[in-house]
Amino acid sequence: MPEYAFIGRSNVGKSSLINMLTQRTKLAKTSSTPGKTQLINHFIINDNWYLVDLPGYGYARTSKALKAGFSKIIADYIGNHENLMNLFVLVDIRLEPQKIDLEFMNWLGENGVPFVIIFTKTDKLSTNQVHSKYSAYKKILLESWEEMPSHFLSSAETAVGREEILTFIEKTNKVFRK
Ligand code: GTP
Ligand code: MG
């Protein structure tokens, strides 16, 4: 069955986004403390496809060994899942572009892993601020990407982006079944 995984720095809102998409408040466990998700959790949707919650990367307070373990878990997961249709790379819209995210996206590009960026927590900014943050991010990405990678704006609070993300998944499921 096709899989869609959510990845990004700790606390960016991966688990919250899964709950928002599935309209289940407690399916994926969330926390205001980073490092909540420590294992790979598969959630089956409509007996038909999987949403996959991955541990966050770049959480400074986990030990070095643990961090290396996380990177390995993530790299193994990406390398060993033929049915991984797309990776959603979550980025907190409020923050300056983070080196770890930019490097990770470059690594995905080099390894031919399909991904889409989801800018999270848009409810925390005004529309103007969202536009200006988005433009700044795009500018940085265009330094290493020929065109802007596909992306969505989202909020787990207001469900902005829900329809677009689910439509994208449905379309991609059709490609899988062909
Ligand atoms: P780890 O599992 O630790 O890697 O974190 P995560 O990426 O799964 O983040 P999680 O969904 O647990 O959310 C972290 C915190 O951000 C929680 O306090 C959430 O309530 C909050 N949060 C997540 N998404 C949003 C959002 O769209 N808007 C707002 N306002 N808060 C959000
Ligand atoms: Mg989580």
Side-chain angles (χ1 to χ4, degrees):
M1 283 193 256
E3 300 191 14
Y4 300 85
F6 295 80
I7 199 160
R9 295 169 71 243
S10 285
N11 216 45
V12 68
K14 301 173 291 295
S15 301
S16 302
L17 182 63
I18 287 178
N19 292 338
M20 183 271 262
L21 292 173
T22 56
Q23 291 182 314
R24 299 268 305 275
T25 48
K26 286 176 186 145
L27 184 65
K29 292 201 176 63
T30 65
S31 166
S32 54
T33 315
K36 179 69 185 173
T37 309
Q38 304 246 339
L39 293 171
I40 296 176
N41 297 307
H42 281 70
F43 301 107
I44 188 158
I45 314 293
N46 301 335
D47 286 331
N48 212 284
W49 48 281
Y50 287 109
L51 285 179
V52 183
D53 195 10
L54 295 173
Y57 55 72
Y59 170 40
R61 272 157 64 198
T62 46
S63 74
K64 239 187 180 167
L66 258 182
K67 248 195 197 165
F70 277 177
S71 319
K72 194 178 171 327
I73 289 176
I74 292 167
D76 283 350
Y77 170 76
I78 294 172
N80 294 317
H81 281 74
E82 273 174 39
N83 295 348
L84 176 63
M85 301 303 284
N86 180 69
L87 208 52
F88 290 106
V89 178
L90 275 62
V91 168
D92 187 328
I93 187 84
R94 298 169 300 167
L95 304 183
E96 297 305 305
Q98 304 285 306
K99 201 172 162 217
I100 192 164
D101 292 325
L102 299 171
E103 285 177 357
F104 182 63
M105 288 186 234
N106 286 341
W107 181 84
L108 293 175
E110 284 158 15
N111 288 279
V113 181
F115 73 93
V116 168
I117 303 170
I118 299 185
F119 294 100
T120 65
K121 309 195 185 184
T122 56
D123 60 282
K124 295 211 180 203
L125 297 179
S126 69
T127 309
N128 279 344
Q129 286 171 318
V130 166
H131 281 296
S132 101
K133 286 287 182 188
Y134 168 74
S135 303
Y137 209 96
K138 181 174 176 182
K139 200 169 162 219
I140 298 275
L141 277 173
L142 290 180
E143 288 174 10
S144 44
W145 291 82
E146 237 163 75
E147 50 186 85
M148 181 64 183
S150 303
H151 53 274
F152 295 109
L153 295 170
S154 82
S155 163
E157 287 290 315
T158 65
V160 158
R162 186 170 184 273
E163 288 306 315
E164 292 87 343
I165 295 166
L166 291 177
T167 301
F168 169 86
I169 291 174
E170 274 167 29
K171 279 190 187 152
T172 313
N173 280 340
K174 289 200 180 119
V175 174
F176 177 84
R177 313 248 174 239
K178 265 189 189 151

